[in-house]
Amino acid sequence: MAHPELEPILEILRQTAERMLIDNGEFYPFAAALHRDGKLALLDTEPSIETQDVPILLEALERGLRESVSRGECRAVGVCVDSFLTLPGSADPIDALRIEIEHETGEGFSIYYPYEGAGSPTLALGVPRVFTKDTSYFVSRA
């Protein structure tokens, strides 16, 4: 991690997803934000959204994060999605947590944690794959 404020976002998202995978075998997208006052908050979609359609839930989360960032309320944000990853040398995708984190300095990362054993206390996360990404929440307002 480049900026130290990204680490708590990554950890709360990973730990929460891991707990949901053990307890439920799956999860819907959720997010986290590091606010200006230093408080870390987990976020999900508004109670008014009564759908289980992952793209709609993800869009609502992303919209909410963008609004918070545009109001200057956050220093860092992240989103976690139950996803898939295709490893080099394999044609078959495997289950993976996808965590995207961004900092107001312009640093952004996509981290994929392959996993096995959802729905069981023996859930195992594999070696994370980390990719840099362009920021989509903290964009220049120039």
Side-chain angles (χ1 to χ4, degrees), residues 18-35:
E18 198 169 1
R19 174 56 40 211
M20 287 192 278
L21 284 171
I22 289 169
D23 292 346
N24 307 316
E26 64 182 355
F27 64 90
Y28 291 105
F30 64 99
L34 179 64
H35 294 280

Side-chain angles (χ1 to χ4, degrees), residues 53-111:
D53 187 320
V54 171
I56 290 172
L57 294 171
L58 186 56
E59 181 182 321
L61 275 172
E62 291 172 341
R63 184 175 48 252
L65 286 176
R66 281 189 188 88
E67 290 169 3
S68 292
V69 166
S70 71
R71 290 189 300 263
E73 298 171 353
C74 304
R75 298 191 314 233
V77 297
V79 174
C80 187
V81 179
D82 198 0
S83 188
F84 298 98
L85 173 67
T86 303
L87 297 172
S90 175
D92 299 322
I94 59 172
D95 291 323
L97 302 179
R98 185 182 85 221
I99 299 175
E100 296 193 355
I101 53 176
E102 296 184 15
H103 193 269
E104 66 184 351
T105 59
E107 296 166 286
F109 299 92
S110 293
I111 302 103

